[in-house]
Amino acid sequence: MKSVKPTRSGRTVKGTFNAPGGTPGTARAAAPKRGGLTLTRLLAFTPIALEIASYLRGQQKARRGKYYKASTKGKALDFVLEQAQKRLGKAPKKKGWF
């Protein structure tokens, strides 16, 4: 059997008799953390950033012309933008028959 080691200091431990205002099993609820705020901001600004990136990429493609062969990096960027738009429910407009 494992033996329980005592704490090194006389600090209080939640859920014990020496916890402030506590009896066994009455641990207080922790204050809400603001760590999720960054994720909320990220989720709020992602569609805006996606719109700007797709707009800029479209401008770049229009400047280069219709028959310009895209680089590997450009193809990868187009693929990522297209997938992100699909995930957010904004499908790109298809040109042509298919």
Side-chain angles (χ1 to χ4, degrees):
M1 288 181 79
K2 287 185 175 181
S3 63
V4 179
K5 292 182 181 178
T7 58
R8 287 187 226 164
S9 64
R11 62 184 168 86
T12 60
V13 180
K14 281 189 177 178
T16 60
F17 281 110
N18 61 353
T23 56
T26 59
R28 293 183 184 174
K33 293 185 178 180
R34 296 181 58 92
L37 189 61
T38 54
L39 180 62
T40 305
R41 283 186 184 162
L42 181 70
L43 290 175
F45 290 123
T46 300
I48 298 167
L50 179 63
E51 284 293 319
I52 292 171
S54 61
Y55 173 76
L56 292 175
R57 180 64 180 156
Q59 291 294 317
Q60 185 182 39
K61 287 168 80 173
R63 245 192 345 256
R64 289 188 173 167
K66 186 175 181 180
Y67 299 108
Y68 176 79
K69 185 176 180 184
S71 65
T72 306
K73 195 186 299 185
K75 288 178 188 175
L77 180 62
D78 289 337
F79 175 76
V80 169
L81 284 173
E82 184 179 328
Q83 292 298 312
Q85 285 177 335
K86 281 184 181 179
R87 299 289 190 275
L88 289 176
K90 184 175 260 191
K93 295 176 182 172
K94 294 285 185 180
K95 292 183 180 178
W97 294 351
F98 301 106

